[in-house]
PDB file of all heavy atoms in Angstrom:
ATOM      1  N   VAL O1419       1.203   5.183   0.827  1.00 98.00           N
ATOM      2  CA  VAL O1419       0.613   6.199   1.695  1.00 98.00           C
ATOM      3  C   VAL O1419       1.334   7.519   1.480  1.00 98.00           C
ATOM      4  O   VAL O1419       2.569   7.546   1.387  1.00 98.00           O
ATOM      5  CB  VAL O1419       0.731   5.782   3.180  1.00 98.00           C
ATOM      6  CG1 VAL O1419       0.292   6.917   4.104  1.00 98.00           C
ATOM      7  CG2 VAL O1419      -0.080   4.536   3.454  1.00 98.00           C
ATOM      8  N   ILE O1420       0.555   8.594   1.404  1.00 98.00           N
ATOM      9  CA  ILE O1420       1.145   9.925   1.377  1.00 98.00           C
ATOM     10  C   ILE O1420       0.961  10.546   2.760  1.00 98.00           C
ATOM     11  O   ILE O1420      -0.140  10.549   3.310  1.00 98.00           O
ATOM     12  CB  ILE O1420       0.542  10.825   0.273  1.00 98.00           C
ATOM     13  CG1 ILE O1420       1.286  12.170   0.218  1.00 98.00           C
ATOM     14  CG2 ILE O1420      -0.960  11.009   0.444  1.00 98.00           C
ATOM     15  CD1 ILE O1420       0.965  13.025  -1.004  1.00 98.00           C
ATOM     16  N   GLY O1421       2.061  11.004   3.329  1.00 98.00           N
ATOM     17  CA  GLY O1421       2.029  11.711   4.599  1.00 98.00           C
ATOM     18  C   GLY O1421       2.165  13.195   4.321  1.00 98.00           C
ATOM     19  O   GLY O1421       2.935  13.602   3.447  1.00 98.00           O
ATOM     20  N   ILE O1422       1.413  14.009   5.079  1.00 98.00           N
ATOM     21  CA  ILE O1422       1.423  15.453   4.884  1.00 98.00           C
ATOM     22  C   ILE O1422       1.688  16.148   6.216  1.00 98.00           C
ATOM     23  O   ILE O1422       1.009  15.881   7.212  1.00 98.00           O
ATOM     24  CB  ILE O1422       0.067  15.956   4.320  1.00 98.00           C
ATOM     25  CG1 ILE O1422      -0.271  15.276   2.985  1.00 98.00           C
ATOM     26  CG2 ILE O1422       0.051  17.473   4.203  1.00 98.00           C
ATOM     27  CD1 ILE O1422       0.606  15.682   1.817  1.00 98.00           C
ATOM     28  N   PRO O1424       1.342  19.786   7.181  1.00 96.00           N
ATOM     29  CA  PRO O1424       0.826  21.005   6.557  1.00 96.00           C
ATOM     30  C   PRO O1424       1.393  22.305   7.125  1.00 96.00           C
ATOM     31  O   PRO O1424       1.717  22.400   8.303  1.00 96.00           O
ATOM     32  CB  PRO O1424      -0.681  20.920   6.836  1.00 96.00           C
ATOM     33  CG  PRO O1424      -0.804  20.080   8.055  1.00 96.00           C
ATOM     34  CD  PRO O1424       0.367  19.144   8.048  1.00 96.00           C
ATOM     35  N   GLN O1480      -3.857   5.706   0.381  1.00 98.00           N
ATOM     36  CA  GLN O1480      -4.333   6.311   1.624  1.00 98.00           C
ATOM     37  C   GLN O1480      -3.468   7.519   1.950  1.00 98.00           C
ATOM     38  O   GLN O1480      -2.370   7.679   1.409  1.00 98.00           O
ATOM     39  CB  GLN O1480      -4.306   5.298   2.771  1.00 98.00           C
ATOM     40  CG  GLN O1480      -5.275   4.157   2.548  1.00 98.00           C
ATOM     41  CD  GLN O1480      -5.410   3.259   3.764  1.00 98.00           C
ATOM     42  OE1 GLN O1480      -4.944   3.570   4.847  1.00 98.00           O
ATOM     43  NE2 GLN O1480      -6.078   2.138   3.573  1.00 98.00           N
ATOM     44  N   ALA O1481      -3.997   8.354   2.860  1.00 98.00           N
ATOM     45  CA  ALA O1481      -3.283   9.563   3.254  1.00 98.00           C
ATOM     46  C   ALA O1481      -3.269   9.688   4.773  1.00 98.00           C
ATOM     47  O   ALA O1481      -4.171   9.205   5.455  1.00 98.00           O
ATOM     48  CB  ALA O1481      -3.949  10.789   2.642  1.00 98.00           C
ATOM     49  N   ALA O1482      -2.242  10.348   5.272  1.00 98.00           N
ATOM     50  CA  ALA O1482      -2.127  10.638   6.703  1.00 98.00           C
ATOM     51  C   ALA O1482      -1.664  12.083   6.845  1.00 98.00           C
ATOM     52  O   ALA O1482      -0.751  12.526   6.141  1.00 98.00           O
ATOM     53  CB  ALA O1482      -1.131   9.684   7.357  1.00 98.00           C
ATOM     54  N   VAL O1483      -2.317  12.803   7.736  1.00 98.00           N
ATOM     55  CA  VAL O1483      -2.046  14.226   7.923  1.00 98.00           C
ATOM     56  C   VAL O1483      -1.806  14.486   9.406  1.00 98.00           C
ATOM     57  O   VAL O1483      -2.491  13.910  10.259  1.00 98.00           O
ATOM     58  CB  VAL O1483      -3.243  15.082   7.427  1.00 98.00           C
ATOM     59  CG1 VAL O1483      -2.990  16.565   7.626  1.00 98.00           C
ATOM     60  CG2 VAL O1483      -3.552  14.774   5.963  1.00 98.00           C
ATOM     61  N   GLU O1484      -0.859  15.366   9.692  1.00 95.00           N
ATOM     62  CA  GLU O1484      -0.624  15.712  11.085  1.00 95.00           C
ATOM     63  C   GLU O1484      -1.791  16.534  11.608  1.00 95.00           C
ATOM     64  O   GLU O1484      -2.268  17.454  10.956  1.00 95.00           O
ATOM     65  CB  GLU O1484       0.677  16.495  11.242  1.00 95.00           C
ATOM     66  CG  GLU O1484       1.023  16.741  12.696  1.00 95.00           C
ATOM     67  CD  GLU O1484       2.403  17.326  12.879  1.00 95.00           C
ATOM     68  OE1 GLU O1484       2.593  18.502  12.532  1.00 95.00           O
ATOM     69  OE2 GLU O1484       3.281  16.589  13.372  1.00 95.00           O
ATOM     70  N   SER O1485      -2.242  16.195  12.812  1.00 91.00           N
ATOM     71  CA  SER O1485      -3.320  16.933  13.478  1.00 91.00           C
ATOM     72  C   SER O1485      -2.781  18.234  14.045  1.00 91.00           C
ATOM     73  O   SER O1485      -1.594  18.359  14.332  1.00 91.00           O
ATOM     74  CB  SER O1485      -3.894  16.128  14.640  1.00 91.00           C
ATOM     75  OG  SER O1485      -4.479  14.953  14.185  1.00 91.00           O
ATOM     76  N   ILE O1486      -3.697  19.150  14.260  1.00 77.00           N
ATOM     77  CA  ILE O1486      -3.317  20.406  14.911  1.00 77.00           C
ATOM     78  C   ILE O1486      -3.057  20.112  16.374  1.00 77.00           C
ATOM     79  O   ILE O1486      -3.756  19.328  17.000  1.00 77.00           O
ATOM     80  CB  ILE O1486      -4.435  21.453  14.771  1.00 77.00           C
ATOM     81  CG1 ILE O1486      -4.456  21.964  13.342  1.00 77.00           C
ATOM     82  CG2 ILE O1486      -4.247  22.580  15.757  1.00 77.00           C
ATOM     83  CD1 ILE O1486      -5.284  23.200  13.133  1.00 77.00           C
ATOM     84  N   PHE O1487      -2.051  20.740  16.896  1.00 66.00           N
ATOM     85  CA  PHE O1487      -1.750  20.624  18.308  1.00 66.00           C
ATOM     86  C   PHE O1487      -1.724  22.031  18.881  1.00 66.00           C
ATOM     87  O   PHE O1487      -1.633  23.007  18.148  1.00 66.00           O
ATOM     88  CB  PHE O1487      -0.413  19.902  18.525  1.00 66.00           C
ATOM     89  CG  PHE O1487       0.744  20.573  17.841  1.00 66.00           C
ATOM     90  CD1 PHE O1487       1.571  21.440  18.534  1.00 66.00           C
ATOM     91  CD2 PHE O1487       0.990  20.349  16.491  1.00 66.00           C
ATOM     92  CE1 PHE O1487       2.620  22.073  17.895  1.00 66.00           C
ATOM     93  CE2 PHE O1487       2.055  20.985  15.848  1.00 66.00           C
ATOM     94  CZ  PHE O1487       2.869  21.842  16.555  1.00 66.00           C
ATOM     95  N   GLY O1499      -3.741  25.642  10.486  1.00 90.00           N
ATOM     96  CA  GLY O1499      -5.107  25.134  10.345  1.00 90.00           C
ATOM     97  C   GLY O1499      -5.667  25.369   8.951  1.00 90.00           C
ATOM     98  O   GLY O1499      -6.356  24.509   8.393  1.00 90.00           O
ATOM     99  N   ARG O1502      -3.968  22.894   6.697  1.00 96.00           N
ATOM    100  CA  ARG O1502      -4.531  21.559   6.974  1.00 96.00           C
ATOM    101  C   ARG O1502      -5.861  21.401   6.262  1.00 96.00           C
ATOM    102  O   ARG O1502      -6.150  20.354   5.689  1.00 96.00           O
ATOM    103  CB  ARG O1502      -4.763  21.373   8.485  1.00 96.00           C
ATOM    104  CG  ARG O1502      -3.672  20.685   9.194  1.00 96.00           C
ATOM    105  CD  ARG O1502      -4.070  20.366  10.635  1.00 96.00           C
ATOM    106  NE  ARG O1502      -4.540  19.004  10.672  1.00 96.00           N
ATOM    107  CZ  ARG O1502      -5.813  18.630  10.811  1.00 96.00           C
ATOM    108  NH1 ARG O1502      -6.765  19.502  10.948  1.00 96.00           N
ATOM    109  NH2 ARG O1502      -6.129  17.368  10.831  1.00 96.00           N
ATOM    110  N   GLY O1503      -6.678  22.439   6.321  1.00 96.00           N
ATOM    111  CA  GLY O1503      -7.982  22.387   5.655  1.00 96.00           C
ATOM    112  C   GLY O1503      -7.836  22.168   4.163  1.00 96.00           C
ATOM    113  O   GLY O1503      -8.554  21.351   3.573  1.00 96.00           O
ATOM    114  N   ALA O1505      -5.262  20.764   2.660  1.00 98.00           N
ATOM    115  CA  ALA O1505      -4.743  19.407   2.460  1.00 98.00           C
ATOM    116  C   ALA O1505      -5.857  18.373   2.609  1.00 98.00           C
ATOM    117  O   ALA O1505      -5.998  17.475   1.764  1.00 98.00           O
ATOM    118  CB  ALA O1505      -3.608  19.118   3.445  1.00 98.00           C
ATOM    119  N   LEU O1506      -6.649  18.494   3.665  1.00 98.00           N
ATOM    120  CA  LEU O1506      -7.735  17.540   3.885  1.00 98.00           C
ATOM    121  C   LEU O1506      -8.736  17.570   2.723  1.00 98.00           C
ATOM    122  O   LEU O1506      -9.173  16.523   2.243  1.00 98.00           O
ATOM    123  CB  LEU O1506      -8.441  17.821   5.208  1.00 98.00           C
ATOM    124  CG  LEU O1506      -7.622  17.557   6.469  1.00 98.00           C
ATOM    125  CD1 LEU O1506      -8.331  18.111   7.699  1.00 98.00           C
ATOM    126  CD2 LEU O1506      -7.321  16.080   6.629  1.00 98.00           C
ATOM    127  N   MET O1507      -9.096  18.762   2.284  1.00 98.00           N
ATOM    128  CA  MET O1507     -10.031  18.892   1.166  1.00 98.00           C
ATOM    129  C   MET O1507      -9.465  18.260  -0.108  1.00 98.00           C
ATOM    130  O   MET O1507     -10.148  17.519  -0.806  1.00 98.00           O
ATOM    131  CB  MET O1507     -10.347  20.364   0.909  1.00 98.00           C
ATOM    132  CG  MET O1507     -11.264  20.598  -0.281  1.00 98.00           C
ATOM    133  SD  MET O1507     -11.331  22.321  -0.774  1.00 98.00           S
ATOM    134  CE  MET O1507      -9.699  22.548  -1.469  1.00 98.00           C
ATOM    135  N   LEU O1509      -7.139  15.923  -0.447  1.00 98.00           N
ATOM    136  CA  LEU O1509      -7.056  14.468  -0.317  1.00 98.00           C
ATOM    137  C   LEU O1509      -8.439  13.829  -0.383  1.00 98.00           C
ATOM    138  O   LEU O1509      -8.624  12.787  -1.011  1.00 98.00           O
ATOM    139  CB  LEU O1509      -6.346  14.095   0.987  1.00 98.00           C
ATOM    140  CG  LEU O1509      -4.897  14.594   1.102  1.00 98.00           C
ATOM    141  CD1 LEU O1509      -4.394  14.466   2.530  1.00 98.00           C
ATOM    142  CD2 LEU O1509      -3.997  13.882   0.110  1.00 98.00           C
ATOM    143  N   THR O1515      -8.767   7.695   1.638  1.00 97.00           N
ATOM    144  CA  THR O1515      -9.054   7.532   3.056  1.00 97.00           C
ATOM    145  C   THR O1515      -7.995   8.344   3.785  1.00 97.00           C
ATOM    146  O   THR O1515      -6.805   8.230   3.486  1.00 97.00           O
ATOM    147  CB  THR O1515      -8.955   6.051   3.458  1.00 97.00           C
ATOM    148  OG1 THR O1515      -9.895   5.310   2.698  1.00 97.00           O
ATOM    149  CG2 THR O1515      -9.203   5.866   4.937  1.00 97.00           C
ATOM    150  N   ILE O1516      -8.427   9.155   4.752  1.00 98.00           N
ATOM    151  CA  ILE O1516      -7.506  10.060   5.442  1.00 98.00           C
ATOM    152  C   ILE O1516      -7.481   9.735   6.930  1.00 98.00           C
ATOM    153  O   ILE O1516      -8.519   9.645   7.567  1.00 98.00           O
ATOM    154  CB  ILE O1516      -7.937  11.525   5.262  1.00 98.00           C
ATOM    155  CG1 ILE O1516      -8.054  11.870   3.769  1.00 98.00           C
ATOM    156  CG2 ILE O1516      -6.954  12.468   5.959  1.00 98.00           C
ATOM    157  CD1 ILE O1516      -8.814  13.161   3.503  1.00 98.00           C
ATOM    158  N   ALA O1517      -6.272   9.580   7.452  1.00 98.00           N
ATOM    159  CA  ALA O1517      -6.075   9.402   8.887  1.00 98.00           C
ATOM    160  C   ALA O1517      -5.337  10.627   9.408  1.00 98.00           C
ATOM    161  O   ALA O1517      -4.568  11.262   8.677  1.00 98.00           O
ATOM    162  CB  ALA O1517      -5.268   8.142   9.165  1.00 98.00           C
ATOM    163  N   GLU O1518      -5.582  10.964  10.669  1.00 97.00           N
ATOM    164  CA  GLU O1518      -4.916  12.099  11.285  1.00 97.00           C
ATOM    165  C   GLU O1518      -4.192  11.625  12.534  1.00 97.00           C
ATOM    166  O   GLU O1518      -4.732  10.829  13.307  1.00 97.00           O
ATOM    167  CB  GLU O1518      -5.929  13.184  11.629  1.00 97.00           C
ATOM    168  CG  GLU O1518      -6.675  13.696  10.400  1.00 97.00           C
ATOM    169  CD  GLU O1518      -7.746  14.699  10.750  1.00 97.00           C
ATOM    170  OE1 GLU O1518      -7.395  15.787  11.242  1.00 97.00           O
ATOM    171  OE2 GLU O1518      -8.936  14.370  10.559  1.00 97.00           O
ATOM    172  N   TYR O1519      -2.974  12.129  12.725  1.00 97.00           N
ATOM    173  CA  TYR O1519      -2.149  11.722  13.852  1.00 97.00           C
ATOM    174  C   TYR O1519      -1.559  12.949  14.536  1.00 97.00           C
ATOM    175  O   TYR O1519      -1.096  13.873  13.866  1.00 97.00           O
ATOM    176  CB  TYR O1519      -1.015  10.796  13.394  1.00 97.00           C
ATOM    177  CG  TYR O1519      -1.517   9.531  12.763  1.00 97.00           C
ATOM    178  CD1 TYR O1519      -1.574   9.394  11.379  1.00 97.00           C
ATOM    179  CD2 TYR O1519      -1.985   8.480  13.545  1.00 97.00           C
ATOM    180  CE1 TYR O1519      -2.076   8.238  10.797  1.00 97.00           C
ATOM    181  CE2 TYR O1519      -2.481   7.322  12.968  1.00 97.00           C
ATOM    182  CZ  TYR O1519      -2.519   7.210  11.585  1.00 97.00           C
ATOM    183  OH  TYR O1519      -3.013   6.065  11.017  1.00 97.00           O
ATOM    184  N   THR O1520      -1.552  12.926  15.851  1.00 94.00           N
ATOM    185  CA  THR O1520      -0.942  14.007  16.621  1.00 94.00           C
ATOM    186  C   THR O1520       0.580  13.836  16.599  1.00 94.00           C
ATOM    187  O   THR O1520       1.089  12.726  16.357  1.00 94.00           O
ATOM    188  CB  THR O1520      -1.413  13.975  18.086  1.00 94.00           C
ATOM    189  OG1 THR O1520      -0.931  12.780  18.696  1.00 94.00           O
ATOM    190  CG2 THR O1520      -2.933  14.061  18.180  1.00 94.00           C
ATOM    191  N   PRO O1521       1.315  14.900  16.889  1.00 92.00           N
ATOM    192  CA  PRO O1521       2.770  14.761  16.989  1.00 92.00           C
ATOM    193  C   PRO O1521       3.182  13.697  18.011  1.00 92.00           C
ATOM    194  O   PRO O1521       4.140  12.956  17.777  1.00 92.00           O
ATOM    195  CB  PRO O1521       3.229  16.158  17.410  1.00 92.00           C
ATOM    196  CG  PRO O1521       2.192  17.065  16.833  1.00 92.00           C
ATOM    197  CD  PRO O1521       0.894  16.307  16.983  1.00 92.00           C
ATOM    198  N   LEU O1522       2.458  13.595  19.118  1.00 93.00           N
ATOM    199  CA  LEU O1522       2.754  12.568  20.128  1.00 93.00           C
ATOM    200  C   LEU O1522       2.604  11.171  19.539  1.00 93.00           C
ATOM    201  O   LEU O1522       3.469  10.305  19.747  1.00 93.00           O
ATOM    202  CB  LEU O1522       1.842  12.738  21.337  1.00 93.00           C
ATOM    203  CG  LEU O1522       1.977  11.670  22.429  1.00 93.00           C
ATOM    204  CD1 LEU O1522       3.350  11.725  23.069  1.00 93.00           C
ATOM    205  CD2 LEU O1522       0.893  11.858  23.482  1.00 93.00           C
ATOM    206  N   GLN O1523       1.535  10.930  18.800  1.00 95.00           N
ATOM    207  CA  GLN O1523       1.328   9.612  18.182  1.00 95.00           C
ATOM    208  C   GLN O1523       2.441   9.288  17.192  1.00 95.00           C
ATOM    209  O   GLN O1523       2.906   8.151  17.115  1.00 95.00           O
ATOM    210  CB  GLN O1523      -0.016   9.565  17.462  1.00 95.00           C
ATOM    211  CG  GLN O1523      -1.206   9.533  18.389  1.00 95.00           C
ATOM    212  CD  GLN O1523      -2.505   9.649  17.613  1.00 95.00           C
ATOM    213  OE1 GLN O1523      -2.700  10.578  16.823  1.00 95.00           O
ATOM    214  NE2 GLN O1523      -3.416   8.694  17.835  1.00 95.00           N
ATOM    215  N   VAL O1524       2.875  10.285  16.438  1.00 96.00           N
ATOM    216  CA  VAL O1524       3.945  10.075  15.451  1.00 96.00           C
ATOM    217  C   VAL O1524       5.248   9.740  16.164  1.00 96.00           C
ATOM    218  O   VAL O1524       5.940   8.781  15.792  1.00 96.00           O
ATOM    219  CB  VAL O1524       4.104  11.310  14.539  1.00 96.00           C
ATOM    220  CG1 VAL O1524       5.319  11.166  13.621  1.00 96.00           C
ATOM    221  CG2 VAL O1524       2.833  11.531  13.714  1.00 96.00           C
ATOM    222  N   ILE O1564       4.926  10.729   9.430  1.00 98.00           N
ATOM    223  CA  ILE O1564       3.467  10.599   9.477  1.00 98.00           C
ATOM    224  C   ILE O1564       3.010   9.427   8.614  1.00 98.00           C
ATOM    225  O   ILE O1564       2.157   8.638   9.030  1.00 98.00           O
ATOM    226  CB  ILE O1564       2.803  11.932   9.048  1.00 98.00           C
ATOM    227  CG1 ILE O1564       3.128  13.022  10.088  1.00 98.00           C
ATOM    228  CG2 ILE O1564       1.301  11.772   8.862  1.00 98.00           C
ATOM    229  CD1 ILE O1564       2.918  14.443   9.582  1.00 98.00           C
ATOM    230  N   ALA O1565       3.583   9.284   7.430  1.00 98.00           N
ATOM    231  CA  ALA O1565       3.244   8.151   6.562  1.00 98.00           C
ATOM    232  C   ALA O1565       3.633   6.829   7.216  1.00 98.00           C
ATOM    233  O   ALA O1565       2.875   5.852   7.182  1.00 98.00           O
ATOM    234  CB  ALA O1565       3.924   8.301   5.198  1.00 98.00           C
ATOM    235  N   THR O1567       3.901   6.253  10.419  1.00 98.00           N
ATOM    236  CA  THR O1567       2.958   6.047  11.516  1.00 98.00           C
ATOM    237  C   THR O1567       1.689   5.381  11.006  1.00 98.00           C
ATOM    238  O   THR O1567       1.187   4.421  11.603  1.00 98.00           O
ATOM    239  CB  THR O1567       2.609   7.391  12.190  1.00 98.00           C
ATOM    240  OG1 THR O1567       3.802   7.932  12.751  1.00 98.00           O
ATOM    241  CG2 THR O1567       1.547   7.220  13.270  1.00 98.00           C
ATOM    242  N   HIS O1568       1.188   5.865   9.882  1.00 98.00           N
ATOM    243  CA  HIS O1568      -0.041   5.290   9.328  1.00 98.00           C
ATOM    244  C   HIS O1568       0.168   3.830   8.916  1.00 98.00           C
ATOM    245  O   HIS O1568      -0.687   2.977   9.187  1.00 98.00           O
ATOM    246  CB  HIS O1568      -0.538   6.116   8.148  1.00 98.00           C
ATOM    247  CG  HIS O1568      -1.840   5.645   7.619  1.00 98.00           C
ATOM    248  ND1 HIS O1568      -3.011   5.715   8.353  1.00 98.00           N
ATOM    249  CD2 HIS O1568      -2.174   5.053   6.444  1.00 98.00           C
ATOM    250  CE1 HIS O1568      -4.004   5.199   7.640  1.00 98.00           C
ATOM    251  NE2 HIS O1568      -3.515   4.795   6.485  1.00 98.00           N
ATOM    252  N   GLN O1571       0.154   1.749  11.977  1.00 93.00           N
ATOM    253  CA  GLN O1571      -1.209   1.624  12.494  1.00 93.00           C
ATOM    254  C   GLN O1571      -2.010   0.617  11.674  1.00 93.00           C
ATOM    255  O   GLN O1571      -2.809  -0.145  12.221  1.00 93.00           O
ATOM    256  CB  GLN O1571      -1.920   2.976  12.506  1.00 93.00           C
ATOM    257  CG  GLN O1571      -1.366   3.969  13.490  1.00 93.00           C
ATOM    258  CD  GLN O1571      -1.579   3.531  14.934  1.00 93.00           C
ATOM    259  OE1 GLN O1571      -2.604   2.973  15.270  1.00 93.00           O
ATOM    260  NE2 GLN O1571      -0.601   3.787  15.776  1.00 93.00           N
ATOM    261  N   GLN O1572      -1.810   0.602  10.377  1.00 90.00           N
ATOM    262  CA  GLN O1572      -2.543  -0.312   9.511  1.00 90.00           C
ATOM    263  C   GLN O1572      -2.151  -1.768   9.781  1.00 90.00           C
ATOM    264  O   GLN O1572      -2.984  -2.662   9.662  1.00 90.00           O
ATOM    265  CB  GLN O1572      -2.303   0.024   8.038  1.00 90.00           C
ATOM    266  CG  GLN O1572      -2.917   1.348   7.612  1.00 90.00           C
ATOM    267  CD  GLN O1572      -4.409   1.382   7.853  1.00 90.00           C
ATOM    268  OE1 GLN O1572      -5.149   0.622   7.268  1.00 90.00           O
ATOM    269  NE2 GLN O1572      -4.850   2.251   8.737  1.00 90.00           N
TER     270      GLN O1572
END
Side-chain angles (χ1 to χ4, degrees):
V1419 172
I1420 185 168
I1422 302 290
Q1480 295 188 11
V1483 179
E1484 186 171 71
S1485 297
I1486 286 193
F1487 57 97
R1502 264 188 97 253
L1506 292 170
M1507 177 192 71
L1509 299 167
T1515 300
I1516 304 165
E1518 300 176 65
Y1519 299 99
T1520 65
L1522 176 65
Q1523 288 173 306
V1524 173
I1564 294 162
T1567 297
H1568 185 66
Q1571 292 294 322
Q1572 292 302 297

